[in-house]
Amino acid sequence: MPPSSLEQPTKEQLKAWDRRLVWHAFTQMAEYEPLILVRGEGCRLFDIDGHEYIDGTSSLWCNVHGHRHPRIDAAIRRQLDEVAHVTLLGASNPTTIRLARRLVDIAPEGLEHVFFSDDGATAVEVALKMAFQYWRQRSDPRPQKTCYLALGEAYHGDTLGSVSVGGVERFHAMFKPLLFECLRVPPPDLYRMPPGVTRDNATCYYLAQLEEVLAQHHERIAAMVVEPLVQAAAGMIVHPPGYLRGVRDLTRKYGVLLIADEVAVGMGRTGRMFACEHEGVSPDLLCLAKGLTGGYLPLAATLATEEIWNAFLGTYAESKTFFHGHTYGGNPLGAAAALATLEVFDEEKTLENLPPKIARLGEHLDRIRRLPPVGDCRQCGLIGAVELVRDRATKEPFPWAEKRGWQVCDHARREGVLLRPLGNVIVIFPPLSITLDELDRICTAVERGIQQMTK
Ligand SMILES: *Cc1c(COP(=O)(O)O)cnc(C)c1O
């Protein structure tokens, strides 16, 4: 190691190393400008130059109750006094066991077993492999079920399995030669609907399309994977009411497992603990990550039904074991953070306190909707999205290279609000503990950013 990296580096050195040494996710490194965050406090983050920001995207879907929450901090410290890590391969620890108990208690009915991993992509990967193996090992095996069904514009993570079910061209097209087969139905989009489709008949229309594919291919489909209610990375495509319910009914009718990827929408984000609750849906497999630990530590969970679990039971010699694992899966520090996160939901009545915040976000979006370059504003719970378009009538998008979303977010940053756009879509999803005041500041920063951009 060169001596310089052993010393306390200066701010300028840190910025230079950040540019040159750290390869940032989803970031063009040739154009990267360092943003070095050194401290958090509630919904605020502070950078190395002393600037203060409101965390407008929950440190990317993760943070729930604010940064440095005393209750979660203390839970992690307590766990550190016991043990930081033990493996879940043939062993366990009380904290992880208690978390499994808690998750099964609060999850939609029928999900009774928890497989722990460490990130959203791994939670999905686990679900895909479980579904595949289930069909081969159940008492009436269906080994021809080897492909999957997913929505257009889906995003389920960046490992090759989760990319195979993903459908965002810009992220996923490059890797096509490496991927397994996945059938696709169009996303139930209410902004860009085919001719003749209206908000009133959209649910029926999109479900009919789904049924067509299921009717034709169900014998070879192992599972359908969906992001319930909102397709996040797609630019917040908010599904019409009844769509998820219909997906559940159709997958059941055609004998296809349903994987609900609640990595983004779970943990209270939509106003209920799990998005599936809005439509009374119990999936066969449920994926959680991001907010699971309140945004503290990498931990993920894939919940499964009794029916799936049973197909994996047998003697050692039968080899029905789920031969899959992640070294840090179920890590006790992460489990301690997750348990504390769930306790805070009760103590602070997080979900009970959400409706006024959701309403306030809605009021801001109704105002922002009137600005000329805004084609659509979408909302689900404490998720807001503002889509910028070149032409409102034709809904023609701004060219990607114009970085319109970034222009607005750069302005917001100058006003002390941290946001990250999805192309032409400005997305707002602060920690659930955000105050009305802070929410006002985020939304007015977005509004002024859009006004600036059009000047
Ligand atoms: C972010 C995300 C993932 C991937 O989670 P990672 O922790 O980044 O691997 C999967 N599914 C959805 C819906 C997501 O939003």
Side-chain angles (χ1 to χ4, degrees):
M1 212 188 292
S4 59
S5 51
L6 296 171
E7 295 158 11
Q8 188 66 12
T10 64
K11 267 197 306 197
E12 291 322 307
Q13 263 174 326
L14 281 174
K15 287 181 185 175
W17 295 347
D18 189 32
R19 256 197 212 98
R20 218 178 56 233
L21 309 180
V22 182
W23 195 334
H24 290 269
F26 283 94
T27 301
Q28 176 43 257
M29 291 312 297
E31 295 179 355
Y32 171 68
E33 278 304 322
L35 168 66
I36 305 177
L37 300 166
V38 294
R39 201 163 63 78
E41 183 79 62
C43 297
R44 309 294 173 110
L45 290 167
F46 300 85
D47 76 11
I48 199 167
D49 297 310
H51 299 120
E52 179 181 332
Y53 306 98
I54 302 176
D55 189 354
T57 52
S58 301
S59 295
L60 220 61
W61 294 103
C62 289
N63 198 278
V64 178
H65 302 302
H67 297 275
R68 284 178 57 221
H69 192 290
R71 188 102 169 107
I72 306 173
D73 288 7
I76 295 170
R77 291 201 179 96
R78 254 196 327 275
Q79 182 61 45
L80 267 178
D81 288 334
E82 303 292 336
V83 64
H85 179 68
V86 294
T87 182
L88 276 201
L89 277 64
S92 204
N93 78 91
T95 314
T96 308
I97 298 167
R98 284 174 50 219
L99 177 60
R101 172 76 264 165
R102 193 85 182 91
L103 287 174
V104 167
D105 286 346
I106 62 173
E109 209 184 318
L111 295 164
E112 296 182 10
H113 307 275
V114 187
F115 190 98
F116 287 107
S117 60
D118 42 27
D119 265 298
T122 56
V124 172
E125 203 79 27
V126 164
L128 296 171
K129 286 176 76 176
M130 272 182 182
F132 182 89
Q133 194 170 338
Y134 160 78
W135 289 112
R136 301 189 153 228
Q137 291 185 178
R138 64 179 213 150
S139 50
D140 166 25
R142 306 280 297 279
Q144 68 281 27
K145 282 183 173 283
T146 57
C147 93
Y148 295 86
L149 177 58
L151 298 177
E153 305 299 322
Y155 179 79
H156 299 289
D158 293 323
T159 58
L160 287 176
S162 51
V163 168
S164 295
V165 290
V168 182
E169 269 309 288
R170 192 171 304 277
F171 305 162
H172 300 146
M174 164 73 78
F175 301 106
K176 273 210 180 111
L178 301 177
L179 308 180
F180 55 71
E181 189 188 4
C182 180
L183 302 171
R184 218 164 280 286
V185 286
D189 189 337
L190 291 173
Y191 180 48
R192 292 187 172 85
M193 288 182 282
V197 182
T198 65
R199 282 185 167 258
D200 293 330
N201 66 17
T203 305
C204 275
Y205 171 82
Y206 288 117
L207 285 174
Q209 277 191 326
L210 171 61
E211 178 149 24
E212 213 169 285
V213 174
L214 282 171
Q216 199 182 339
H217 298 285
H218 65 96
E219 282 178 355
R220 52 192 204 94
I221 302 174
M224 175 170 184
V225 51
V226 290
E227 298 165 76
L229 303 196
V230 184
Q231 290 179 244
M236 307 297 173
I237 297 177
V238 179
H239 296 171
Y243 183 75
L244 180 64
R245 181 72 252 166
V247 166
R248 173 69 283 188
D249 294 343
L250 287 172
T251 47
R252 211 162 252 146
K253 174 174 171 189
Y254 287 97
V256 166
L257 295 178
L258 176 61
I259 301 171
D261 176 357
E262 294 223 17
V263 169
V265 294
M267 304 305 291
R269 184 54 59 186
T270 64
R272 307 284 290 267
M273 186 59 86
F274 303 110
C276 282
E277 291 174 33
H278 288 272
E279 307 220 339
V281 159
S282 284
D284 299 291
L285 292 151
L286 174 73
C287 305
L288 300 174
K290 286 188 173 137
L292 180 58
T293 62
Y296 271 67
L297 287 160
L299 180 74
T302 306
L303 280 72
T305 60
E306 191 74 11
E307 164 79 16
I308 293 175
W309 160 274
N310 282 338
F312 289 75
L313 300 181
T315 64
Y316 182 81
E318 281 177 283
S319 237
K320 287 183 166 181
T321 307
F322 188 45
F323 289 111
H324 180 110
H326 298 271
T327 303
Y328 279 97
N331 170 267
L333 288 173
L339 270 174
T341 297
L342 291 170
E343 279 163 18
V344 175
F345 267 98
D346 293 334
E347 276 168 17
E348 298 186 355
K349 304 207 176 316
T350 305
L351 294 178
E352 292 85 335
N353 289 328
L354 273 184
K357 304 179 190 186
I358 293 171
R360 181 68 70 92
L361 176 60
E363 288 163 24
H364 283 294
L365 291 175
D366 278 342
R367 199 179 62 251
I368 292 171
R369 187 189 302 279
R370 297 199 286 264
L371 298 174
V374 175
D376 190 31
C377 283
R378 302 183 276 274
Q379 185 187 8
C380 176
L382 205 60
I383 305 170
V386 179
E387 178 161 350
L388 306 171
V389 289
R390 178 137 91 183
D391 184 328
R392 266 178 154 175
T394 63
K395 304 180 182 176
E396 181 196 344
F398 283 114
W400 170 267
E402 285 184 15
K403 293 181 86 172
R404 295 292 179 147
W406 271 115
Q407 289 177 32
V408 176
C409 293
D410 286 344
H411 171 90
R413 187 181 299 186
R414 290 193 289 276
E415 287 200 26
V417 172
L418 265 192
L419 293 170
R420 183 182 164 83
L422 289 161
N424 289 318
V425 183
I426 319 294
V427 291
I428 301 168
F429 43 95
L432 305 187
S433 60
I434 194 87
T435 64
L436 290 177
D437 249 17
E438 288 167 324
L439 194 52
D440 291 344
R441 278 194 49 199
I442 296 173
C443 294
T444 48
V446 168
E447 183 176 24
R448 280 194 288 263
I450 296 170
Q451 286 162 342
Q452 286 278 317
M453 184 202 84
T454 37
K455 257 184 202 158

